[in-house]
Amino acid sequence: MKKIAIIMEDMRLGGPQKQLIYLLNQIKNYANVYFAPINSSMNDLHDKTYGILTVTGTIGLESVFSSKNCISLAHPILASNFPQYSANTIDSAVIKLMNFNDRISHGEELLSLLVENSFSGTIGEPFYSRNALNKKNIKKVADAIIKCS
């Protein structure tokens, strides 16, 4: 029997811990849902499952590019621009995954949104990104914030 795979991003990188705790508490209510190893390939998971449920992972973006069956619980770009790839609850996500029928490629539209909403600065933890505290980088980030205001 095919199941629904849940992919969790690396929580050490500041992922949404409240969502993780909620998922861990709720997952036991679904016999057809399981946590997939983080190193699973998207193709392998799609071959073995009805679809993938993620919190904010990039696999949600990959799925929009490839018209694959994946629902994101908390990705802001998907929630506001691609509601067919987004849900607010596990219940609604499972229903969407079981009834998914969007086979139209939205890759070009998604790429345009990502480029339009991107900026040249780097936001990150200085521990992981040495460039984060560079004066030129801080100016780029500040300019992007001003642009969004």
Side-chain angles (χ1 to χ4, degrees):
M1 174 174 85
K2 284 191 171 186
K3 295 186 175 190
I4 294 171
I6 295 182
I7 297 292
M8 299 301 298
E9 64 278 1
D10 188 343
M11 300 310 287
R12 293 173 299 163
L13 299 179
Q17 270 98 19
K18 286 182 183 179
Q19 288 280 358
L20 175 62
I21 292 167
Y22 175 76
L23 281 173
L24 289 173
N25 288 330
Q26 294 297 313
I27 196 73
K28 62 184 174 245
N29 297 324
Y30 299 90
N32 62 337
V33 178
Y34 73 99
F35 282 100
I38 196 163
N39 60 349
S40 302
S41 77
M42 187 172 86
N43 289 335
D44 190 41
L45 288 173
H46 280 294
D47 289 344
K48 296 178 180 176
T49 67
Y50 286 111
I52 299 168
L53 174 61
T54 185
V55 178
T56 62
T58 57
I59 194 164
L61 299 176
E62 292 173 36
S63 295
V64 174
F65 281 117
S66 61
S67 302
K68 296 289 187 177
N69 193 5
C70 181
I71 302 295
S72 176
L73 292 174
H75 198 288
I77 289 180
L78 297 182
S80 61
N81 296 284
F82 303 95
Q84 68 272 36
Y85 290 93
S86 181
N88 294 324
T89 66
I90 294 175
D91 286 338
S92 62
V94 169
I95 290 167
K96 279 187 170 187
L97 287 169
M98 300 302 282
N99 296 304
F100 186 84
N101 62 6
D102 185 9
R103 299 294 177 223
I104 300 169
S105 174
H106 299 283
E108 190 173 318
E109 184 181 354
L110 175 59
L111 185 58
S112 293
L113 280 167
L114 292 173
V115 168
E116 180 181 314
N117 291 294
S118 295
F119 55 91
S120 58
T122 302
I123 297 176
E125 294 288 331
F127 182 77
Y128 296 107
S129 174
R130 290 185 222 161
N131 188 45
L133 295 178
N134 175 290
K135 286 183 181 184
K136 287 181 182 178
N137 182 60
I138 291 172
K139 170 132 177 50
K140 290 177 183 177
V141 172
D143 290 345
I145 292 170
I146 290 168
K147 179 182 170 187
C148 293
S149 301

